[in-house]
Amino acid sequence: MYKVGLIGIGAIAEGYGKPEDANSYCHIAGIIHNPRVELAAVADLDQARRDNFRAKWGALLPPDYREYGSAADMLAAEALDIVAVCVRGPHHFAVMQEVLQAGPRAVFLEKPPTCSLAEMDAMTALAKSRGIPVMVSYSRHWAPHVLRLQELVAGGLIGEVQQVVGYCGHSFLSFASHTTDLICQFAGYCPTAVYACGHLPEGDVPEGYEREPAVDTMTIEFANGVLGTQIGVGGEHGTFYCDVIGTEGLVRAGIYIPPFARTKAGPVDLAALGMPENASVFTVAYGQIADSLDGGPKAHCTDEDWMAVHEIGFAGIESALTHQRVTLPNANRERRIFANG
């Protein structure tokens, strides 16, 4: 069983979940309900958060789990296989330096991974030098029926993929990146250029940062010829979903909608093709990390995959601000965005 240490006890770590719900959308539920991993320790600067966490989840936690007032104290005291970093985005880079120096076997980092591409370059160079895979939590990726549709599309269910259209607005890095990853999930993680339109929401940001623009529209070109389009509002079926258009049909995939597929012969009976039962996306994600540590395939959204999504996000920002098509990799690595998701 792999030992997990969690840094930051906020909404995505535990706040969105309920102990009685096995499918809760949070890290703690995913860890508790996956028999391959076990929570060894949590770290948070706020004593009240630690107290509330213990009161809420304590009955489901291992009797010997430990709490720390800082990430540094936890990393120094614990021998951890997996570290989950769930602090706010502007703190990711500094915390990740501590985590990677401590040398866990894998890191599960909340999105947005960094506030600049220069930070991404430095962080990934350190991770690579220490042989530590980093997986980024574009969490809606791991909805079981979305993963099954990904397998079916890769297996030729709708022929050759030509276009993927995703629906989600708001901030490029902190929110819409979920749908950017979903587009890549079906188009491939091989983007070559981006053209985007966006707008700057009102509000102040700390000195040294720029405000994070919101997506209006974004077009993503891929090396395999697939065209990705991100619509900055909800579609007919809501948000966080995409239409995958192939030479032989269409698949509609998203965490909050029923799976759907149609070929030239008509609607596809997906139940007959093995649609899985629902599960917490975090339970599935931690299972993939455990499998990879066992010597199995690389967990999704690891290393080059999330880096491609992050490149797209920053290219979208660059394009929205300059009104130019941006080829990848981005030339501007220094733009520093207050990505506080």
Side-chain angles (χ1 to χ4, degrees):
M1 184 176 293
Y2 294 108
K3 300 291 185 180
V4 182
L6 192 151
I7 301 173
I9 313 175
I12 198 63
E14 68 88 19
Y16 293 140
K18 298 178 180 179
E20 64 271 21
D21 182 5
N23 296 333
S24 285
Y25 184 76
C26 63
H27 281 261
I28 294 301
I31 295 166
I32 289 171
H33 295 290
N34 191 308
R36 309 285 308 287
V37 298
E38 180 179 70
L39 184 69
V42 298
D44 196 287
L45 298 173
D46 190 331
Q47 178 68 56
R49 280 190 176 184
R50 301 198 303 272
D51 293 342
N52 292 336
F53 170 77
R54 189 185 327 111
K56 178 178 177 180
W57 295 93
L60 297 177
L61 297 175
D64 59 347
Y65 103 96
R66 291 160 295 279
E67 298 175 358
Y68 295 89
S70 73
D73 288 346
M74 183 185 77
L75 294 168
E78 301 284 342
L80 299 168
D81 299 301
I82 304 165
V83 173
V85 177
C86 300
V87 297
R88 304 294 285 188
H91 302 293
H92 283 176
F93 183 69
V95 172
M96 283 293 291
Q97 304 310 296
E98 293 183 271
V99 171
L100 293 170
Q101 291 292 351
R105 297 181 63 188
V107 178
F108 196 6
L109 172 64
E110 266 302 319
K111 59 79 192 164
T114 64
C115 289
S116 74
L117 290 174
E119 287 181 346
M120 181 187 81
D121 295 340
M123 185 178 77
T124 54
L126 177 57
K128 184 177 180 181
S129 73
R130 298 186 64 81
I132 302 171
V134 176
M135 184 169 78
V136 167
S137 179
Y138 298 119
S139 48
R140 291 166 174 87
H141 181 110
W142 289 281
H145 58 276
V146 174
L147 290 175
R148 179 59 180 146
L149 288 173
Q150 182 185 3
E151 292 175 349
L152 292 171
V153 168
L157 178 66
I158 57 171
E160 184 178 348
V161 175
Q162 296 179 314
Q163 186 173 7
V164 184
V165 182
Y167 300 90
C168 181
H170 303 287
S171 50
F172 275 90
L173 306 175
S174 298
F175 195 79
S177 55
H178 282 291
T179 304
T180 306
D181 172 72
L182 182 64
I183 291 170
C184 292
Q185 196 169 356
F186 289 92
Y189 289 87
C190 54
T192 58
V194 173
Y195 182 81
C197 297
H199 64 278
L200 282 172
E202 295 182 358
D204 297 326
V205 298
E207 185 177 353
Y209 290 95
E210 299 177 43
R211 279 182 293 164
E212 183 176 5
V215 178
D216 292 331
T217 62
M218 180 163 60
T219 298
I220 310 164
E221 301 170 24
F222 291 90
N224 55 14
V226 177
L227 185 67
T229 304
Q230 188 149 333
I231 309 299
V233 294
E236 179 182 357
H237 304 280
T239 191
F240 294 122
Y241 80 93
C242 68
D243 289 320
V244 187
I245 303 162
T247 54
E248 302 297 324
L250 175 144
V251 156
R252 181 167 297 127
I255 186 173
Y256 302 121
I257 61 171
F260 173 81
R262 182 183 67 241
T263 66
K264 292 178 178 179
V268 177
D269 181 3
L270 290 173
L273 296 179
M275 282 293 111
E277 295 183 3
N278 191 28
S280 166
V281 293
F282 288 97
T283 301
V284 178
Y286 278 101
Q288 285 195 355
I289 297 174
D291 288 343
S292 70
L293 294 179
D294 282 347
K298 180 177 70 175
H300 289 199
C301 300
T302 295
D303 297 340
E304 289 80 7
D305 287 354
W306 70 258
M307 293 168 66
V309 174
H310 210 37
E311 287 275 2
I312 291 170
F314 271 98
I317 290 170
E318 196 73 20
S319 181
L321 294 176
T322 64
H323 310 291
Q324 301 292 317
R325 174 178 174 271
V326 175
T327 58
L328 301 181
N330 294 274
N332 186 352
R333 315 298 285 182
E334 302 300 328
R335 186 183 293 278
R336 199 161 182 240
I337 299 295
F338 190 64
N340 197 34

mmCIF file of all heavy atoms in Angstrom, residues 248-275:
data_model
loop_
_atom_site.group_PDB
_atom_site.id
_atom_site.type_symbol
_atom_site.label_atom_id
_atom_site.label_comp_id
_atom_site.label_asym_id
_atom_site.label_seq_id
_atom_site.Cartn_x
_atom_site.Cartn_y
_atom_site.Cartn_z
ATOM 1 N N GLU A 248 -16.446 8.700 -39.137
ATOM 2 C CA GLU A 248 -17.559 7.746 -39.147
ATOM 3 C C GLU A 248 -18.629 8.034 -38.107
ATOM 4 O O GLU A 248 -19.554 7.243 -37.931
ATOM 5 C CB GLU A 248 -17.021 6.317 -38.922
ATOM 6 C CG GLU A 248 -15.992 5.862 -39.935
ATOM 7 C CD GLU A 248 -16.569 5.787 -41.339
ATOM 8 O OE1 GLU A 248 -17.751 5.415 -41.471
ATOM 9 O OE2 GLU A 248 -15.834 6.105 -42.297
ATOM 10 N N GLY A 249 -18.501 9.160 -37.371
ATOM 11 C CA GLY A 249 -19.523 9.432 -36.371
ATOM 12 C C GLY A 249 -19.082 10.456 -35.345
ATOM 13 O O GLY A 249 -18.137 11.231 -35.573
ATOM 14 N N LEU A 250 -19.782 10.446 -34.205
ATOM 15 C CA LEU A 250 -19.561 11.449 -33.163
ATOM 16 C C LEU A 250 -19.667 10.803 -31.788
ATOM 17 O O LEU A 250 -20.507 9.916 -31.571
ATOM 18 C CB LEU A 250 -20.594 12.571 -33.286
ATOM 19 C CG LEU A 250 -20.612 13.663 -32.199
ATOM 20 C CD1 LEU A 250 -20.941 15.019 -32.818
ATOM 21 C CD2 LEU A 250 -21.610 13.331 -31.098
ATOM 22 N N VAL A 251 -18.812 11.257 -30.866
ATOM 23 C CA VAL A 251 -18.888 10.885 -29.459
ATOM 24 C C VAL A 251 -19.036 12.151 -28.640
ATOM 25 O O VAL A 251 -18.388 13.165 -28.931
ATOM 26 C CB VAL A 251 -17.631 10.101 -29.022
ATOM 27 C CG1 VAL A 251 -17.395 10.201 -27.518
ATOM 28 C CG2 VAL A 251 -17.740 8.645 -29.434
ATOM 29 N N ARG A 252 -19.905 12.105 -27.645
ATOM 30 C CA ARG A 252 -20.056 13.227 -26.711
ATOM 31 C C ARG A 252 -19.594 12.746 -25.345
ATOM 32 O O ARG A 252 -20.112 11.746 -24.832
ATOM 33 C CB ARG A 252 -21.498 13.701 -26.664
ATOM 34 C CG ARG A 252 -21.753 14.891 -25.742
ATOM 35 C CD ARG A 252 -23.120 15.506 -25.990
ATOM 36 N NE ARG A 252 -23.188 16.030 -27.340
ATOM 37 C CZ ARG A 252 -24.164 15.702 -28.203
ATOM 38 N NH1 ARG A 252 -25.125 14.855 -27.864
ATOM 39 N NH2 ARG A 252 -24.152 16.213 -29.415
ATOM 40 N N ALA A 253 -18.616 13.436 -24.760
ATOM 41 C CA ALA A 253 -17.994 12.965 -23.524
ATOM 42 C C ALA A 253 -17.839 14.111 -22.538
ATOM 43 O O ALA A 253 -17.434 15.213 -22.910
ATOM 44 C CB ALA A 253 -16.622 12.366 -23.812
ATOM 45 N N GLY A 254 -18.154 13.848 -21.292
ATOM 46 C CA GLY A 254 -17.972 14.831 -20.233
ATOM 47 C C GLY A 254 -18.379 14.250 -18.901
ATOM 48 O O GLY A 254 -19.178 13.307 -18.834
ATOM 49 N N ILE A 255 -17.856 14.801 -17.833
ATOM 50 C CA ILE A 255 -18.077 14.231 -16.512
ATOM 51 C C ILE A 255 -19.525 14.327 -16.068
ATOM 52 O O ILE A 255 -20.016 13.464 -15.336
ATOM 53 C CB ILE A 255 -17.142 14.903 -15.480
ATOM 54 C CG1 ILE A 255 -17.245 14.218 -14.108
ATOM 55 C CG2 ILE A 255 -17.376 16.391 -15.396
ATOM 56 C CD1 ILE A 255 -16.230 14.710 -13.093
ATOM 57 N N TYR A 256 -20.258 15.367 -16.505
ATOM 58 C CA TYR A 256 -21.588 15.611 -15.964
ATOM 59 C C TYR A 256 -22.719 15.219 -16.909
ATOM 60 O O TYR A 256 -23.878 15.503 -16.615
ATOM 61 C CB TYR A 256 -21.729 17.086 -15.586
ATOM 62 C CG TYR A 256 -20.696 17.543 -14.591
ATOM 63 C CD1 TYR A 256 -19.825 18.578 -14.893
ATOM 64 C CD2 TYR A 256 -20.588 16.940 -13.346
ATOM 65 C CE1 TYR A 256 -18.865 19.001 -13.974
ATOM 66 C CE2 TYR A 256 -19.635 17.351 -12.422
ATOM 67 C CZ TYR A 256 -18.779 18.385 -12.748
ATOM 68 O OH TYR A 256 -17.832 18.792 -11.837
ATOM 69 N N ILE A 257 -22.401 14.597 -18.033
ATOM 70 C CA ILE A 257 -23.445 14.220 -18.985
ATOM 71 C C ILE A 257 -23.363 12.731 -19.268
ATOM 72 O O ILE A 257 -22.303 12.120 -19.129
ATOM 73 C CB ILE A 257 -23.306 15.010 -20.307
ATOM 74 C CG1 ILE A 257 -21.962 14.714 -20.976
ATOM 75 C CG2 ILE A 257 -23.491 16.502 -20.071
ATOM 76 C CD1 ILE A 257 -21.837 15.287 -22.374
ATOM 77 N N PRO A 258 -24.473 12.105 -19.666
ATOM 78 C CA PRO A 258 -24.431 10.688 -20.021
ATOM 79 C C PRO A 258 -23.564 10.485 -21.260
ATOM 80 O O PRO A 258 -23.547 11.333 -22.166
ATOM 81 C CB PRO A 258 -25.900 10.344 -20.316
ATOM 82 C CG PRO A 258 -26.704 11.442 -19.724
ATOM 83 C CD PRO A 258 -25.843 12.657 -19.758
ATOM 84 N N PRO A 259 -22.820 9.406 -21.342
ATOM 85 C CA PRO A 259 -22.016 9.139 -22.539
ATOM 86 C C PRO A 259 -22.920 8.918 -23.746
ATOM 87 O O PRO A 259 -24.008 8.335 -23.635
ATOM 88 C CB PRO A 259 -21.240 7.876 -22.174
ATOM 89 C CG PRO A 259 -22.045 7.225 -21.101
ATOM 90 C CD PRO A 259 -22.697 8.328 -20.336
ATOM 91 N N PHE A 260 -22.455 9.383 -24.893
ATOM 92 C CA PHE A 260 -23.262 9.264 -26.114
ATOM 93 C C PHE A 260 -22.333 9.033 -27.299
ATOM 94 O O PHE A 260 -21.248 9.611 -27.381
ATOM 95 C CB PHE A 260 -24.078 10.534 -26.351
ATOM 96 C CG PHE A 260 -24.798 10.549 -27.669
ATOM 97 C CD1 PHE A 260 -26.004 9.873 -27.835
ATOM 98 C CD2 PHE A 260 -24.267 11.220 -28.765
ATOM 99 C CE1 PHE A 260 -26.662 9.889 -29.058
ATOM 100 C CE2 PHE A 260 -24.916 11.238 -29.990
ATOM 101 C CZ PHE A 260 -26.122 10.563 -30.130
ATOM 102 N N ALA A 261 -22.764 8.185 -28.215
ATOM 103 C CA ALA A 261 -22.017 7.969 -29.459
ATOM 104 C C ALA A 261 -22.996 7.666 -30.580
ATOM 105 O O ALA A 261 -24.031 7.010 -30.373
ATOM 106 C CB ALA A 261 -21.018 6.826 -29.305
ATOM 107 N N ARG A 262 -22.656 8.137 -31.748
ATOM 108 C CA ARG A 262 -23.472 7.879 -32.938
ATOM 109 C C ARG A 262 -22.532 7.646 -34.112
ATOM 110 O O ARG A 262 -21.550 8.373 -34.308
ATOM 111 C CB ARG A 262 -24.374 9.077 -33.234
ATOM 112 C CG ARG A 262 -25.302 8.887 -34.437
ATOM 113 C CD ARG A 262 -26.120 10.123 -34.743
ATOM 114 N NE ARG A 262 -25.275 11.223 -35.214
ATOM 115 C CZ ARG A 262 -25.156 12.375 -34.603
ATOM 116 N NH1 ARG A 262 -25.787 12.583 -33.457
ATOM 117 N NH2 ARG A 262 -24.377 13.330 -35.105
ATOM 118 N N THR A 263 -22.806 6.614 -34.886
ATOM 119 C CA THR A 263 -22.084 6.375 -36.132
ATOM 120 C C THR A 263 -23.049 6.567 -37.297
ATOM 121 O O THR A 263 -24.226 6.896 -37.098
ATOM 122 C CB THR A 263 -21.492 4.965 -36.172
ATOM 123 O OG1 THR A 263 -22.558 4.008 -36.208
ATOM 124 C CG2 THR A 263 -20.613 4.699 -34.947
ATOM 125 N N LYS A 264 -22.568 6.335 -38.497
ATOM 126 C CA LYS A 264 -23.431 6.498 -39.668
ATOM 127 C C LYS A 264 -24.610 5.534 -39.643
ATOM 128 O O LYS A 264 -25.645 5.777 -40.267
ATOM 129 C CB LYS A 264 -22.605 6.302 -40.936
ATOM 130 C CG LYS A 264 -21.572 7.407 -41.160
ATOM 131 C CD LYS A 264 -20.733 7.155 -42.396
ATOM 132 C CE LYS A 264 -19.737 8.284 -42.621
ATOM 133 N NZ LYS A 264 -18.886 8.064 -43.817
ATOM 134 N N ALA A 265 -24.456 4.457 -38.868
ATOM 135 C CA ALA A 265 -25.538 3.474 -38.759
ATOM 136 C C ALA A 265 -26.572 3.866 -37.714
ATOM 137 O O ALA A 265 -27.623 3.228 -37.612
ATOM 138 C CB ALA A 265 -24.950 2.106 -38.412
ATOM 139 N N GLY A 266 -26.290 4.897 -36.905
ATOM 140 C CA GLY A 266 -27.231 5.326 -35.884
ATOM 141 C C GLY A 266 -26.595 5.345 -34.514
ATOM 142 O O GLY A 266 -25.384 5.129 -34.354
ATOM 143 N N PRO A 267 -27.391 5.605 -33.452
ATOM 144 C CA PRO A 267 -26.867 5.647 -32.091
ATOM 145 C C PRO A 267 -26.213 4.320 -31.694
ATOM 146 O O PRO A 267 -26.664 3.247 -32.087
ATOM 147 C CB PRO A 267 -28.108 5.931 -31.238
ATOM 148 C CG PRO A 267 -29.060 6.606 -32.175
ATOM 149 C CD PRO A 267 -28.824 5.972 -33.502
ATOM 150 N N VAL A 268 -25.146 4.405 -30.898
ATOM 151 C CA VAL A 268 -24.400 3.233 -30.459
ATOM 152 C C VAL A 268 -24.890 2.811 -29.082
ATOM 153 O O VAL A 268 -25.095 3.647 -28.195
ATOM 154 C CB VAL A 268 -22.892 3.550 -30.394
ATOM 155 C CG1 VAL A 268 -22.110 2.354 -29.855
ATOM 156 C CG2 VAL A 268 -22.381 3.961 -31.771
ATOM 157 N N ASP A 269 -25.096 1.512 -28.895
ATOM 158 C CA ASP A 269 -25.462 0.966 -27.588
ATOM 159 C C ASP A 269 -24.185 0.877 -26.749
ATOM 160 O O ASP A 269 -23.488 -0.127 -26.752
ATOM 161 C CB ASP A 269 -26.113 -0.404 -27.748
ATOM 162 C CG ASP A 269 -26.539 -1.002 -26.405
ATOM 163 O OD1 ASP A 269 -26.373 -0.332 -25.366
ATOM 164 O OD2 ASP A 269 -27.022 -2.148 -26.408
ATOM 165 N N LEU A 270 -23.902 1.957 -26.005
ATOM 166 C CA LEU A 270 -22.650 2.003 -25.247
ATOM 167 C C LEU A 270 -22.658 1.036 -24.075
ATOM 168 O O LEU A 270 -21.592 0.556 -23.653
ATOM 169 C CB LEU A 270 -22.384 3.428 -24.767
ATOM 170 C CG LEU A 270 -22.005 4.427 -25.866
ATOM 171 C CD1 LEU A 270 -21.939 5.837 -25.309
ATOM 172 C CD2 LEU A 270 -20.669 4.048 -26.500
ATOM 173 N N ALA A 271 -23.826 0.737 -23.528
ATOM 174 C CA ALA A 271 -23.886 -0.220 -22.429
ATOM 175 C C ALA A 271 -23.332 -1.576 -22.858
ATOM 176 O O ALA A 271 -22.666 -2.272 -22.083
ATOM 177 C CB ALA A 271 -25.309 -0.358 -21.927
ATOM 178 N N ALA A 272 -23.580 -1.935 -24.098
ATOM 179 C CA ALA A 272 -23.081 -3.207 -24.614
ATOM 180 C C ALA A 272 -21.567 -3.190 -24.818
ATOM 181 O O ALA A 272 -20.949 -4.248 -24.979
ATOM 182 C CB ALA A 272 -23.776 -3.544 -25.933
ATOM 183 N N LEU A 273 -20.973 -1.982 -24.799
ATOM 184 C CA LEU A 273 -19.531 -1.853 -24.989
ATOM 185 C C LEU A 273 -18.796 -1.656 -23.668
ATOM 186 O O LEU A 273 -17.629 -1.285 -23.652
ATOM 187 C CB LEU A 273 -19.236 -0.690 -25.943
ATOM 188 C CG LEU A 273 -19.769 -0.856 -27.368
ATOM 189 C CD1 LEU A 273 -19.436 0.379 -28.204
ATOM 190 C CD2 LEU A 273 -19.202 -2.105 -28.026
ATOM 191 N N GLY A 274 -19.490 -1.900 -22.565
ATOM 192 C CA GLY A 274 -18.814 -1.926 -21.275
ATOM 193 C C GLY A 274 -18.623 -0.581 -20.616
ATOM 194 O O GLY A 274 -17.531 -0.288 -20.112
ATOM 195 N N MET A 275 -19.677 0.249 -20.579
ATOM 196 C CA MET A 275 -19.570 1.488 -19.822
ATOM 197 C C MET A 275 -19.428 1.166 -18.334
ATOM 198 O O MET A 275 -20.236 0.427 -17.772
ATOM 199 C CB MET A 275 -20.816 2.352 -20.035
ATOM 200 C CG MET A 275 -20.838 3.101 -21.354
ATOM 201 S SD MET A 275 -19.547 4.382 -21.455
ATOM 202 C CE MET A 275 -18.475 3.662 -22.693
#
